[in-house]
Amino acid sequence: MVSELIRLSWEDFNEPLESDGTEMENFLNDLDNYPHAFVLGSIMDKQIQADRAWAIPYKVYKELGNFDIDFLSNVPLEKYKELFNKGSYHRFNDKCATEFYEGVHKIKEDYGGDASKIWSGKPTSKTIVNRFLEFKGVGPKIATMATNILIREYKIKVSDFEAIDVSVDSQVEKVMPRLGLVSQNPTKEEIIIKAREMNPEYPGIIDRTLWKVGREYCHNTNPDCDNCPLKNECDYYLKPQKGETEDKFNKLIKLGEMHDKGLLSDEEFASLKQELLAEDTTTKTND
Ligand code: SF4
């Protein structure tokens, strides 16, 4: 049932880092010289659009003209608050300016100013997640997301992937129920547990694929199912929806084609077909 999702996720995992080549992107991707920009960007990534959050370290850099950790650690908290409020960096400027300031000092004090020590030396994924969790303003979602990005995008070496849970965002919450992997109104815990069950060695591998499918195909209304790479294992696409007007006959043909191609077992085909026909009967009875 989930084989295509996992296969696509590994395909996405093996893709090289995407970059639009702008000065900001180059700055954020420069883990050799500015690993703390990645950590501070992660800390900011909450309750606003991700692009806006990740731009904050770059904006600070441009305002101050320097992003060396020694320099940053000499900037007073009030100055950070002033920058955040003046540039409206975040929805919660004072709070996030404080977390930025404290993040800088934690990197300086706990890691000797070198944030790459958080992930260097091929640690376990759990070690990296726990190190992120020690930063003020970082919860499990940010910690696992940051670890996942380091591994997937920056190819940081780790000894395992087990502690990297799926980061539950609005795309994941939309696509997983439609695929039929979780209930229609799932809790975050239900989604996390399902992802662990699907791929215990790396639960969070599905993050990026679900995000891409959610953005490009699985729109809130009128999802572009015909072009979606997950349509052949999607309940929403394969099963009749309550109140939908789509022609049941076409759906039956589609199910038959899938059965012929071996994408549905005899039992799955029979069960789905029965559901379609039962819905017709119910409708007629109600009429
Ligand atoms: S087939 Fe349609 S409903 Fe299912 S995941 Fe793709 S776009 Fe969403």
Side-chain angles (χ1 to χ4, degrees):
M1 166 70 183
V2 295
S3 55
E4 186 61 7
L5 173 58
I6 301 295
R7 191 191 68 73
L8 280 175
S9 298
W10 277 110
E11 230 175 69
D12 283 339
F13 178 85
N14 290 321
E15 278 182 10
L17 178 65
E18 285 175 17
S19 170
D20 58 15
T22 60
E23 186 185 324
M24 183 173 83
E25 281 268 335
N26 291 339
F27 169 78
L28 291 171
N29 289 336
D30 188 0
L31 282 197
D32 290 336
N33 291 307
Y34 300 115
H36 44 290
F38 177 84
V39 178
L40 296 167
S42 305
I43 297 171
M44 300 294 104
D45 193 1
K46 57 194 157 222
Q47 293 174 302
I48 57 172
Q49 287 286 322
D51 292 351
R52 185 176 160 202
W54 284 91
I56 292 174
Y58 180 73
K59 289 179 180 170
V60 171
Y61 166 53
K62 294 311 276 183
E63 281 288 339
L64 299 178
N66 193 329
F67 209 73
D68 289 342
I69 198 79
D70 289 336
F71 173 84
L72 292 177
S73 65
N74 284 318
V75 175
L77 173 58
E78 287 314 312
K79 180 65 182 174
Y80 285 119
K81 284 187 178 175
E82 181 196 315
L83 288 178
F84 273 64
N85 282 292
K86 189 181 79 178
S88 193
Y89 288 177
H90 204 282
R91 198 167 145 209
F92 304 106
N93 284 309
D94 283 346
K95 177 174 172 284
C96 287
T98 305
E99 290 171 2
F100 192 100
Y101 170 87
E102 296 201 5
V104 166
H105 284 267
K106 185 168 179 57
I107 291 166
K108 173 98 169 130
E109 283 148 30
D110 292 6
Y111 297 99
D114 180 4
S116 73
K117 288 182 181 165
I118 293 170
W119 53 80
S120 62
K122 205 177 174 185
T124 63
S125 54
K126 188 169 189 167
T127 299
I128 303 181
V129 169
N130 283 338
R131 286 173 178 164
F132 272 99
L133 281 171
E134 287 169 359
F135 281 84
K136 185 176 177 131
V138 173
K141 183 181 168 195
I142 292 180
T144 51
M145 173 208 67
T147 308
N148 212 355
I149 293 173
L150 281 169
I151 293 169
R152 195 182 56 218
E153 312 281 344
Y154 296 102
K155 313 300 180 198
I156 295 299
K157 299 283 180 233
V158 282
S159 59
D160 72 87
F161 305 105
E162 286 169 21
I164 306 169
D165 279 318
V166 65
S167 300
V168 182
D169 61 14
S170 58
Q171 303 295 0
V172 171
E173 283 178 316
K174 176 177 58 180
V175 180
M176 280 187 74
R178 283 181 170 174
L179 288 172
L181 296 173
V182 289
S183 63
Q184 288 308 300
N185 289 302
T187 60
K188 290 188 179 7
E189 289 70 30
E190 183 183 347
I191 289 175
I192 289 169
I193 288 167
K194 183 65 193 181
R196 286 180 190 161
E197 180 193 316
M198 281 162 49
N199 203 36
E201 65 274 18
Y202 188 176
I205 194 165
I206 57 177
D207 260 18
R208 193 193 206 187
T209 304
L210 290 177
W211 184 82
K212 278 164 77 172
V213 166
R215 279 241 318 206
E216 291 169 27
Y217 306 99
C218 203
H219 315 302
N220 288 332
T221 54
N222 298 322
D224 183 13
C225 298
D226 285 335
N227 291 308
C228 175
L230 295 177
K231 68 181 181 186
N232 288 335
E233 49 190 47
C234 178
D235 271 9
Y236 182 93
Y237 181 67
L238 298 171
K239 291 183 180 179
Q241 302 299 303
K242 276 200 177 74
E244 73 171 2
T245 54
E246 191 169 339
D247 184 358
K248 300 286 184 294
F249 181 69
N250 287 336
K251 287 213 164 193
L252 269 176
I253 291 177
K254 204 182 290 172
L255 286 180
E257 285 172 355
M258 293 182 65
H259 179 238
D260 291 345
K261 287 180 192 167
L263 294 168
L264 289 176
S265 67
D266 291 346
E267 293 75 23
E268 285 170 327
F269 175 61
S271 154
L272 289 169
K273 188 171 144 191
Q274 198 174 15
E275 276 185 46
L276 265 175
L277 296 174
E279 181 157 300
D280 276 350
T281 307
T282 311
T283 308
K284 279 174 194 156
T285 308
N286 289 343
D287 287 348

